Amino acid sequence: MTEKSPDAPAFDYRFDTLKVRGAYNPDEHNHAFSVPIYQTASYEMGDAARGERLFRQEELGFLYTRVGNPTVDVLEKRVAQLDGAVAAIALASGMAAVSHSILNLADAGDHIVSSPYLYGGTFDLFKSILPRYGITVDIAPSLAEEDLQKLIKPTTKALFIESIANPTGYVADIAALAKLAHRNNIPLIVDNTFATPYLIRPIEHGADIVVYSATKGLGGHGSIIAGLILEAGTFDYGNGKFPQFTDKGYTLRDRNDVYRGFLEVFPKTPFTARARLALLNYLGAALGPFDAYLALLGIETLSERIEKQLANTRALIDWLQDNEHVLWVDYASLPESPNYELASRYAPKGSGTIFTFGFKGSIEEQEAFINATRLFSYQVNVGDAKSLIVNNAKTTHSELPPEEQKAADLPPETVRLSIGLEDPRDLIDDLEQAFAVVFGTRG
Ligand code: PLP
């Protein structure tokens, strides 16, 4: 909500302190120790003079919850601190975060370059929805620099990737791709949903914009739909390619009615300021304060949850790798993975709590296996405290035609597991009994 850096406690607290206390000072909130839920649509402006100051951006304060809310503000600033960002804006969903990050950079006639390894909803937005509004997206055949560079043209306004891809778990070379983007005078947007800032902090590696679905690991309990956009504060939006940040408008006029632009009024945080005042304000995908509160509660245990989920993930992978009903297990942190070096460099604690395996058998047997699980829940979500299973080719990525599923390394035998906080022995027992239902043997 404000132009200044996130509030106290300052950046020098470490990750685990910030995740429970960051950006919140009880003295400023009637000494409430838990972040209050400011369940209000609007705010008293006081008197007409203050109203004018607020509308001319001379005083930064809350006006209307669609554009800013004190509970949501703590979430925004806390996640910004965890990621080392200068500012953040929360939105009603991860898809709102993805779409707003693009719409803030690209107008009709503009172009985006992206990765083949994307969440199915993002892929569909890129291929089917944005082109209807004049924004075209080229999906590269791989994340190799030469493949991406070939697609960049004068109208290209961003490079969009996932740090740990959904569902393949591929880890991107963020630093190399940031350099590539910057050589072309465009920002790198990184969807860091699968990693969370506990596993990867993309801004440290050169990313300019980070987006999250906080629905997943950040929130961590499968109870909310929420998203965030973060900005590194280092990209030059005045480089001539992004007139939307320099064009002067009446909305940002000063006291003498001189028109101003976003870069001029918000020099440190132009991206999130524009995403809020020009997009969220008029497209309206605001996050409600109660959902922001639940996200904050979830983030309080982020490190502890992810650590235990990583240990569970490793236990499940060890067991599946030795199973006769399994064709392959794809997890970038496995030494035999072609992605191992990148995983070790960017996600040394582990490449996430979600992985895929190839089911050895027919599609009917795969479906019977999924139906036979009792503890794993059959859901399209990931990052819950409870373990989830899904057949991506027929669900989360079913909008991709077979050739695009192939390009995304998503064969029909793929089963995705999102590992929760249960006792790993119960999770293994569950898969064992499900294999036995289908094949008569436990694998
Ligand atoms: N980004 C990734 C990597 C996702 O996996 C998802 C959802 O699965 C999204 C974005 C969209 O998030 P939401 O469901 O919160 O809109």
Side-chain angles (χ1 to χ4, degrees):
M1 184 62 201
T2 59
E3 160 71 350
K4 57 185 193 281
S5 291
D7 290 332
F11 278 128
D12 49 4
Y13 282 120
R14 293 173 181 82
F15 190 92
D16 281 350
T17 308
L18 293 173
K19 83 186 191 324
V20 287
R21 290 182 178 264
Y24 183 67
N25 180 357
D27 298 348
E28 294 166 6
H29 301 267
N30 292 312
H31 312 286
F33 196 46
S34 181
V35 178
I37 301 165
Y38 283 86
Q39 195 63 53
T40 181
S42 194
Y43 305 84
E44 279 290 322
M45 289 189 287
D47 52 37
R50 181 165 182 265
E52 183 159 12
R53 285 201 302 282
L54 287 167
F55 272 89
R56 286 180 191 264
Q57 318 295 329
E58 288 171 5
E59 181 180 330
L60 296 162
F62 297 103
L63 279 165
Y64 196 59
T65 280
R66 169 155 36 82
V67 193
N69 171 285
T71 314
V72 179
D73 187 56
V74 177
L75 172 68
E76 293 169 343
K77 288 179 173 152
R78 191 168 292 179
V79 178
Q81 290 182 352
L82 293 177
D83 263 276
V86 293
I89 137 173
L91 299 111
S93 68
M95 278 318 300
V98 171
S99 56
H100 282 61
S101 72
I102 300 291
L103 294 177
N104 212 19
L105 293 168
D107 292 329
D110 286 339
H111 174 251
I112 303 292
V113 171
S114 192
S115 147
Y117 314 120
L118 293 174
Y119 163 56
T122 303
F123 190 91
D124 230 25
L125 171 76
F126 286 178
K127 296 306 281 185
S128 315
I129 308 298
L130 289 180
R132 302 182 82 97
Y133 297 89
I135 300 169
T136 50
V137 183
D138 269 320
I139 305 282
S142 81
L143 274 181
E145 282 181 61
E146 53 282 14
D147 282 342
L148 293 161
Q149 180 63 59
K150 262 188 230 152
L151 296 174
I152 296 178
K153 43 191 186 185
T155 53
T156 305
K157 295 300 168 77
L159 175 56
F160 185 103
I161 60 161
E162 292 181 3
S163 54
I164 299 180
N166 179 358
T168 56
Y170 291 169
V171 177
D173 191 344
I174 301 170
L177 299 182
K179 284 199 191 109
L180 173 92
H182 298 159
R183 276 200 302 278
N184 290 280
N185 296 317
I186 57 173
L188 174 69
I189 308 174
V190 176
D191 183 334
N192 200 40
T193 297
F194 269 33
T196 80
Y198 183 66
L199 296 179
I200 300 182
R201 290 167 26 112
I203 289 173
E204 279 176 358
H205 304 292
D208 303 290
I209 314 293
V210 177
V211 297
Y212 284 108
S213 165
T215 312
K216 320 292 182 204
L218 259 185
H221 295 79
S223 54
I224 51 163
I225 298 283
L228 287 131
I229 304 177
L230 282 57
E231 109 175 86
T234 45
F235 188 82
D236 177 15
Y237 295 98
N239 69 5
K241 276 184 98 87
F242 302 95
Q244 63 271 49
F245 291 96
T246 46
D247 283 354
K248 296 179 188 304
Y250 178 72
T251 322
L252 295 178
R253 68 197 177 281
D254 72 7
R255 175 102 344 221
N256 302 315
D257 285 338
V258 175
Y259 290 18
R260 297 180 298 175
F262 280 98
L263 196 55
E264 186 183 345
V265 180
F266 302 98
K268 294 190 199 121
T269 60
F271 192 88
T272 43
R274 186 174 186 276
R276 185 187 304 280
L277 298 175
L279 296 181
L280 180 62
N281 200 5
Y282 304 125
L283 297 179
L287 182 69
F290 185 61
D291 286 348
Y293 172 78
L294 290 177
L296 282 164
L297 274 192
I299 290 168
E300 288 196 356
T301 54
L302 178 65
S303 316
E304 291 75 13
R305 281 188 284 109
I306 303 281
E307 277 301 334
K308 157 95 171 151
Q309 286 170 287
L310 282 172
N312 281 1
T313 299
R314 283 189 287 265
L316 265 289
I317 287 175
D318 280 352
W319 183 79
L320 281 165
Q321 279 186 308
D322 283 338
N323 194 293
E324 60 178 294
H325 305 305
V326 171
L327 287 169
W328 46 263
V329 177
D330 214 352
Y331 186 63
S333 292
L334 288 175
E336 59 270 33
S337 165
N339 211 213
Y340 179 68
E341 193 275 319
L342 286 175
S344 312
R345 188 147 33 109
Y346 288 102
K349 296 188 194 94
S351 61
T353 60
I354 298 144
F355 68 94
T356 53
F357 73 87
F359 182 90
K360 194 172 175 183
S362 66
I363 291 301
E364 293 69 33
E365 286 166 333
Q366 184 207 54
E367 289 176 359
F369 169 77
I370 290 173
N371 291 343
T373 56
R374 293 184 198 145
L375 190 53
F376 274 90
S377 303
Y378 181 48
Q379 284 182 34
V380 294
N381 200 15
V382 291
D384 198 314
K386 295 156 294 271
S387 294
L388 313 175
I389 187 167
V390 81
N391 47 343
N392 298 89
K394 284 210 171 175
T395 57
T396 59
H397 289 68
S398 59
E399 53 269 63
L400 274 68
E403 63 282 4
E404 274 161 359
Q405 288 194 355
K406 198 160 178 257
D409 281 350
L410 191 63
E413 72 261 22
T414 305
V415 174
R416 183 182 71 191
L417 298 182
S418 171
I419 304 302
L421 293 170
E422 300 92 340
D423 189 311
R425 292 168 298 185
D426 290 333
L427 293 172
I428 290 170
D429 287 350
D430 187 38
L431 297 185
E432 235 183 4
Q433 67 78 29
F435 279 128
V437 168
V438 182
F439 297 111
T441 64
R442 292 169 165 261

